[in-house]
Amino acid sequence: MYGFINYALELLVVRKYGQETWNEIKRKAEVDIESHFLLRMIYDDQVTFQLVNVACDVLGLSQNEILEQFGAMFFKFCQESNYDKILQVLGGSLKDFLCNLDALHDHLGTIYPGMRAPSFRCVERASDGALVLCYYSYRVGLEHIVIGIVKAVAKKLHNCQVDVVIEKTRNETGDHVEFAIHMKPTETSKIDKRKSIMSLIGSPTDLDASAMSEDMLIGSSTFCKAFPFHIMFDRDLNIQQAGTSVARVIPHIFNQQYKFAHLFDLVRPQMEFTFDSILSHINTVFVLKTHDGFLDVSQLKSSSEIFRANNQSVLRLKGQMLHIKESDVMLFLCSPSVGNLDDLQGRGLYLSDIPIHDATRDLILLSEQFKAEYELTQKLEVLTDELQHTYRKLEEEKRRTDQLLYSILPPSVAKELRQGGTVEAKKFDGVTILFSGIVGFQKICQDSEPMVIVKLLNDIYTAFDDNIRNDVYKVETVGDMYMIVGGLPKRSNTHAKSVALMALDMIQLTQRIKVNDKPVKITIGIHSGEIVAGVVGKKLPRYCLFGNTVNITSRTQTTGSEGKINLTEVTHKLLMEPQCQDSSFCFTEREDLVKMKGRKEPMKCYFLERRSKNKAVHLIMRNSSANRSFLFKPRESESSPQFTPPSHGTPPLTLPLECPFKTEKLLQSVVNKLI
């Protein structure tokens, strides 16, 4: 099937159920098409059938319901594809519309080569006035599409509502499906209006015999010259007469041993090739083609040899059947159905063979221009699809490039650099920096192969990167050192809390990683302060942090207790602020003061752990007037709580406490007594 069939199905699903549903249907149907179906590209019929079957499962509808909805959408798609005017003038009534569908399909066959369109025959049933529609198709099981199309045509073009039912299946008729089309009683159809008008003015074919002159006769020779493309045959399909052009290109046409059916194959309509069958389809467009070997191509010029090589030595004739009652013969009045001048020449015909009154002359000349336009449109459609495919690949590569760039620079900085601007260094008054290092990394390097070290670092850093919080920024990794910062480039007053939570996650993540069958431990140092940040370099620009805060953080990590999170007093105070408090934080003051290079006085440091049920209970209560805080911690050497209230105006004081309390309520009562 041509791609416009599948595209109409796509429109149905996307407009009614959404793009995600259509993507799911394509995925389950294993249809590897990233964008839309190409309208002028031929696809295997199984692609369409597979899409319909999967759509039934995904949408929870029966196949008949899907096909009927598709029929209505296909008609709407045709209207939106600039066929609206053609559809409107195809017939003044629903019956006329259906009777002329074959002519439209034959015309589309010249636009879409190789299209195997269905065939229709429509008659009015005298018993109940219903229209009986016969549907012929090479494809089986698509009759419910016809129901959807007929209902849409009746509603959109003829302003009426109809009921369409299947009266006979293909198994009952042998080669077609029969529908009965009933008008709904509440509607006034154009068919009824047309009948009333015709009953008043009379049929245009019912001419008064007196208006015809019996003396006006025409000889057979004159008739054959006036209509060079016609064939006359009797009830036994014996050929009685043929036009001059037909007789020239089909020399065997007057051979008595060949009947009409021996020379020609019936392309449209799809029916039994008999005299009575033709009578029953008398108002239908007929398309015939010669059987192989009967078209005389012996006189073709060398330039037309390609037609014989490509099995093009058949002649298609398109026209109408007229029953000559006086002689009880059938007259096939036709014209050659060719697409362009090459087709005409390849079948041994010339423009002079076509009578001047026949519009086929003009159509052939116009087809030359249309052929070039069609080929250009087809190429343009393919190139557009390739361009869209390339664009999607480019967008994917751009996304990956951006992702890589954002892993090196903060997004706001990267966007400014991409636009050609310069990024000025900025001072940040309040940030929190974290450094982490692997415990015994030098020993691990001595005892392990280089590939083991690479894998170890990759496993650790990948785990950190995959779980990094949105409100912290990874600065860099150097060796086993991992550095992150909170509070930049987007300023935040909870930067200490964000970094502390990330530190707890990092400790937990490394517990799953082993090297040489031994668990890996990391030491973390955290400090808060002011820094200056800016982009350094052009070839490989880096976002770097400068200031004493960076140095103190690094030394907090290197001088910290192995396998623990080490906090400076500055960060600890920030975490005690209301906006940075978290129920999972558990602090322990380090017993000794830590001497650090660059500072005259030793620093007080703290350990941070994640609170658990078996650990100490931490409680912070703040008095709004005195701004007092209490931090409780268990002491193993004592069996009862020891309280040392802080003096008014002094900074928060850490009080050692043992926690023998069974419940939080008991702890609350103790605190109340303290206050």
Side-chain angles (χ1 to χ4, degrees), residues 184-204:
K184 289 189 177 181
T186 57
E187 299 288 343
T188 302
S189 68
K190 289 188 177 182
I191 293 179
D192 297 331
K193 293 179 180 179
R194 185 177 177 86
K195 284 182 178 179
S196 61
I197 294 174
M198 295 304 295
S199 64
L200 291 174
I201 64 175
S203 173

Side-chain angles (χ1 to χ4, degrees), residues 54-116:
V54 173
C56 294
D57 297 335
V58 173
L59 302 177
L61 300 174
S62 66
Q63 188 179 66
N64 294 344
E65 291 174 319
I66 290 289
L67 292 178
E68 186 170 336
Q69 290 182 22
F70 168 74
M73 177 55 69
F74 182 72
F75 176 76
K76 187 175 183 180
F77 165 73
C78 293
Q79 287 185 307
E80 295 174 354
S81 301
N82 298 324
Y83 285 97
D84 188 36
K85 291 184 178 180
I86 296 179
L87 295 173
Q88 288 178 359
V89 301
L90 201 58
S93 66
L94 182 59
K95 177 186 176 182
D96 294 341
F97 181 93
L98 296 174
C99 287
N100 284 284
L101 270 182
D102 278 13
L104 177 61
H105 285 155
D106 189 70
H107 166 70
L108 294 177
T110 62
I111 301 177
Y112 299 96
M115 185 178 72
R116 300 172 65 184

Side-chain angles (χ1 to χ4, degrees), residues 551-571:
N551 300 331
I552 295 177
T553 306
S554 177
R555 288 161 192 156
T556 303
Q557 187 272 328
T558 56
T559 60
S561 297
E562 294 182 349
K564 294 186 177 182
I565 301 173
N566 300 267
L567 305 175
T568 63
E569 185 178 11
V570 178
T571 303

Side-chain angles (χ1 to χ4, degrees), residues 283-303:
N283 293 323
T284 305
V285 173
F286 281 78
V287 180
L288 287 76
K289 69 175 182 178
T290 59
H291 288 292
D292 292 337
F294 287 102
L295 184 65
D296 185 13
V297 293
S298 60
Q299 303 301 320
L300 293 183
K301 298 180 180 180
S302 58
S303 60

Side-chain angles (χ1 to χ4, degrees), residues 23 26 31-36 388-389 392-393:
N23 293 337
K26 286 199 300 182
V31 176
D32 188 18
I33 296 179
E34 295 184 7
S35 59
H36 305 300
Q388 291 177 348
H389 183 67
R392 286 190 295 271
K393 283 187 174 181

Side-chain angles (χ1 to χ4, degrees), residues 316-425:
R316 280 171 53 101
L317 298 174
K318 176 182 176 182
Q320 69 176 118
M321 294 288 183
L322 298 173
H323 184 215
I324 310 300
K325 296 180 181 180
E326 293 80 1
S327 306
D328 194 25
V329 295
M330 192 69 65
L331 172 63
F332 179 44
L333 198 59
C334 57
S335 298
S337 180
V338 292
N340 48 55
L341 293 175
D342 289 337
D343 289 348
L344 186 73
Q345 185 183 11
R347 286 156 180 82
L349 295 172
Y350 302 92
L351 282 177
S352 58
D353 292 323
I354 303 174
I356 297 176
H357 63 78
D358 194 338
T360 306
R361 279 185 171 217
D362 298 329
L363 291 177
I364 293 174
L365 295 175
L366 289 174
S367 295
E368 277 295 304
Q369 179 181 357
F370 174 79
K371 178 184 177 182
E373 292 177 353
Y374 177 80
E375 292 177 353
L376 182 61
T377 303
Q378 191 176 36
K379 291 179 180 179
L380 182 61
E381 187 178 25
V382 173
L383 290 175
T384 301
D385 183 69
E386 292 177 354
L387 183 60
Q388 291 177 348
H389 183 67
T390 304
Y391 176 76
R392 286 190 295 271
K393 283 187 174 181
L394 180 61
E395 284 293 309
E396 178 63 21
E397 290 300 323
K398 181 178 178 296
R399 186 189 65 81
R400 293 179 180 177
T401 303
D402 290 344
Q403 188 176 8
L404 178 61
L405 183 61
Y406 295 158
S407 67
I408 299 174
L409 300 171
S412 58
V413 175
K415 290 178 182 177
E416 192 169 347
L417 287 176
R418 182 188 295 154
Q419 294 174 359
T422 58
V423 181
E424 299 291 338

Side-chain angles (χ1 to χ4, degrees), residues 8 31 135 175 180 196-197 213 223 235 268 390-391 410 416 446 465 482 497 516 538 540 546 595 628 642 657:
V31 176
Y135 163 67
D175 60 349
S196 61
I197 294 174
S213 174
F223 189 87
R235 285 187 170 271
R268 187 180 298 278
T390 304
Y391 176 76
E416 192 169 347
Q446 293 175 359
D465 293 343
Y482 191 87
K497 177 181 178 180
N516 299 330
K538 289 186 177 180
L540 186 61
F546 302 94
K595 295 182 179 181
R628 294 177 296 177
Q642 300 292 325
L657 285 175

